[in-house]
Amino acid sequence: QKEVEQNSGPLSVPEGAIASLNCTYSDRGSQSFFWYRQYSGKSPELIMFIYSNGDKEDGRFTAQLNKASQYVSLLIRDSQPSDSATYLCATSGGGFKTIFGAGTRLFVKA
Amino acid sequence: DTGVSQNPRHKITKRGQNVTFRCDPISEHNRLYWYRQTLGQGPEFLTYFQNEAQLEKSRLLSDRFSAERPKGSFSTLEIQRTEQGDSAMYLCASSFDLGVSGEKLFFGSGTQLSVL
């Protein structure tokens, strides 16, 4: 079993819709959870992080964490074509090692 | 802040040759990571340094791979006797401490290795 699991997609949504990206993790010792965005041919960049159960909002992005279910999600409201990218879910435990999932490809259709 | 710099951007080598990659992290970051990424996969952890100390290596990393970070500044990743399965993007990242939230990784542009 992979430590961080994501649906590889592609997930296709129309412009202006809400995109919902999901992730599960296996290590109950995971303490921090991250969403990185990776454009094609580019390196990952951090867009959201969360470490407490519940929701965290930043602009059009909302991260949701449920530690009991070992589930993390990212909602993107008012999706734009520029949001088309691969979204990587990642976790880290008490140490300083970030583990990534395989990523979900998102396409936003204009 | 000039970002994380990696050299070379591309490397083509023949199977069995040795290759070395360099990473210059953001100067005020004391942790440095190496990841490997293949098409359709997320970055796979290889190893990390805190200052000059190498604190962890992936169990998946064979003894053909070695990394150094002399004086806690730049880092090098060497692959000896390269194999075709080593073909991948090698990403370096340095980190900014977020406190209880963990740390934010800043990635370089990567070195794309092709082993023929």
Side-chain angles (χ1 to χ4, degrees), chain A residues 32 36 38 43 51 96-98, chain B residues 33 35 37 56 101 105 108:
Chain A
S32 302
Y36 282 78
Q38 187 172 25
S43 296
Y51 63 95
F96 294 106
K97 181 175 74 176
T98 302
Chain B
Y33 294 80
Y35 286 85
Q37 187 174 26
E56 187 171 346
S101 305
L105 298 180

Side-chain angles (χ1 to χ4, degrees), chain B residues 41-58:
Chain B
Q41 299 298 314
E44 175 192 18
F45 170 81
L46 296 180
T47 188
Y48 91 95
F49 294 82
Q50 178 147 326
N51 300 313
E52 66 274 11
Q54 187 174 17
L55 297 187
E56 187 171 346
K57 287 177 61 173
S58 168

Side-chain angles (χ1 to χ4, degrees), chain B residues 1-7 23-29 92 94 106-109:
Chain B
D1 177 2
T2 57
V4 178
S5 176
Q6 290 189 247
N7 288 288
C23 172
D24 289 90
I26 294 171
S27 57
E28 55 266 33
H29 293 176
C92 175
S94 63
F106 290 80
F107 285 89
S109 298

Side-chain angles (χ1 to χ4, degrees), chain B residues 67-103:
Chain B
E68 294 182 342
R69 192 182 182 197
K71 301 178 183 178
S73 56
F74 70 92
S75 176
T76 58
L77 177 68
E78 181 183 17
I79 309 173
Q80 297 182 325
R81 305 180 303 281
T82 53
E83 302 173 356
Q84 289 183 327
D86 297 331
S87 296
M89 176 71 81
Y90 288 83
L91 293 166
C92 175
S94 63
S95 70
F96 175 78
D97 200 338
L98 296 170
V100 295
S101 305
E103 57 181 356

Side-chain angles (χ1 to χ4, degrees), chain A residues 12-23:
Chain A
S12 184
V13 301
E15 183 175 0
I18 296 175
S20 177
L21 304 161
N22 305 312
C23 168

Side-chain angles (χ1 to χ4, degrees), chain A:
Chain A
Q1 180 189 9
K2 292 184 178 180
E3 293 187 59
V4 180
E5 300 238 26
Q6 297 181 254
N7 186 325
S8 63
L11 173 66
S12 184
V13 301
E15 183 175 0
I18 296 175
S20 177
L21 304 161
N22 305 312
C23 168
T24 58
Y25 61 95
S26 60
D27 184 1
R28 286 197 173 273
S30 296
Q31 297 180 2
S32 302
F33 305 86
F34 308 88
W35 285 98
Y36 282 78
R37 178 176 61 199
Q38 187 172 25
Y39 290 114
S40 181
K42 301 295 185 182
S43 296
E45 58 176 334
L46 181 68
I47 56 172
M48 287 288 288
F49 63 91
I50 186 169
Y51 63 95
S52 298
N53 275 327
D55 295 359
K56 179 182 178 182
E57 186 174 320
D58 184 2
R60 295 187 297 113
F61 298 98
T62 299
Q64 299 174 316
L65 172 61
N66 183 327
K67 290 186 178 180
S69 301
Q70 296 176 244
Y71 179 87
V72 192
S73 66
L74 178 71
L75 301 178
I76 306 174
R77 289 181 299 281
D78 188 24
S79 296
Q80 300 297 309
S82 59
D83 295 325
S84 298
T86 295
Y87 289 81
L88 300 163
C89 176
T91 72
S92 69
F96 294 106
K97 181 175 74 176
T98 302
I99 302 299
F100 289 84
T104 298
R105 287 178 296 151
L106 172 67
F107 291 108
V108 181
K109 298 175 292 184

